[in-house]
Amino acid sequence: VLIFESFAHAGLARVPLIHGPYSGLIPPLAYFLFGTCMHGSMGTGALVALLAGEAVSDIDDEEERGRVAALISVMVGAVLLLMGLLHLGFL
C-alpha cells in the first residue's frame, strides 16, 4: 500500500512519479537506524505533498520541480536536525 500511496503523493506534489517510492522507502530505513520511538509513523503525507506541490507549482519543467522540491525537503530536514541538536523540542 505504501508504494501506491507514495505514487499518489508524488502526483499531488507535482513532481515526477519516480520520486514517490523514494519518499516512502528511505524514511523508515533512516528511522530504523536513528529512531527511538516504536510508535512513530513514517512515510509521506497528503497535506505535506499538497504544500510542496503548491510551492513548486509555478515551475514549468517537471524535472526542475523535482529538484526544487527535493531542495526544500533537504532544507526542512536541516532545520529540524538543528532544532534537535539545540534541544528546541518545546517549540
Side-chain angles (χ1 to χ4, degrees), residues 56 59-69:
V56 298
I59 301 171
D60 293 329
D61 183 34
E62 189 177 58
E63 290 298 321
E64 184 67 21
R65 275 197 310 263
R67 284 192 286 272
V68 171

Side-chain angles (χ1 to χ4, degrees), residues 8-25:
H9 290 152
L12 287 174
R14 300 182 184 127
V15 297
L17 295 182
I18 191 64
H19 296 297
Y22 294 124
S23 67
L25 296 176

Side-chain angles (χ1 to χ4, degrees), residues 4-89:
F4 300 112
E5 186 177 290
S6 64
F7 279 129
H9 290 152
L12 287 174
R14 300 182 184 127
V15 297
L17 295 182
I18 191 64
H19 296 297
Y22 294 124
S23 67
L25 296 176
I26 293 175
L29 294 176
Y31 186 78
F32 173 74
L33 295 173
F34 304 113
T36 58
C37 177
M38 66 179 172
H39 302 293
S41 174
M42 299 299 298
T44 58
L47 180 60
V48 174
L50 283 171
L51 290 172
E54 191 61 33
V56 298
S57 64
D58 295 336
I59 301 171
D60 293 329
D61 183 34
E62 189 177 58
E63 290 298 321
E64 184 67 21
R65 275 197 310 263
R67 284 192 286 272
V68 171
L71 179 63
I72 290 171
S73 299
V74 168
M75 289 171 39
V76 168
V79 169
L80 290 174
L81 179 65
L82 181 65
M83 288 179 68
L85 292 174
L86 296 175
H87 299 287
L88 298 176

